[in-house]
Amino acid sequence: MDLSTPSQDNVIYMIEQMKEKLRMVNVDAMKPEHFSEENYEDLLYLYEMVMKRDSFTPSEMQAIVAELGSFRK
């Protein structure tokens, strides 16, 4: 998937991939439709960071979820 171009489809893809990678328990809190292209560059940066890591500490998970929450519309 080409993530270089901001689109709602790309936003949905990145959110879904991060939810799966992070094994989020409360997936309803991170519905892709709650995100817009407005913060696309920040979302892409976070996506790339999450996808290249194999594991996360509890405090890193909390920080990632907080950051995702700040991108919600």
Side-chain angles (χ1 to χ4, degrees):
M1 175 161 265
D2 178 18
L3 298 176
S4 62
T5 307
S7 72
Q8 191 61 33
D9 286 340
N10 287 348
V11 170
I12 291 169
Y13 175 80
M14 288 188 290
I15 296 296
E16 291 296 335
Q17 291 298 308
M18 283 190 283
K19 284 190 331 190
E20 187 175 314
K21 176 87 176 200
L22 298 171
R23 294 181 212 100
M24 293 180 68
V25 176
N26 189 1
V27 293
D28 288 338
M30 291 298 169
K31 290 184 178 179
E33 58 268 18
H34 292 160
F35 297 86
S36 70
E37 297 171 42
E38 189 175 305
N39 297 329
Y40 190 82
E41 288 182 28
D42 295 326
L43 189 58
L44 180 59
Y45 175 79
L46 186 62
Y47 166 79
E48 290 172 343
M49 190 266 307
V50 166
M51 298 313 285
K52 69 181 173 184
R53 300 273 311 270
D54 290 328
S55 63
F56 302 92
T57 66
S59 60
E60 288 172 328
M61 284 283 291
Q62 188 175 15
I64 291 167
V65 171
E67 190 70 19
L68 280 170
S70 73
F71 297 149
R72 292 180 65 174
K73 53 179 171 175

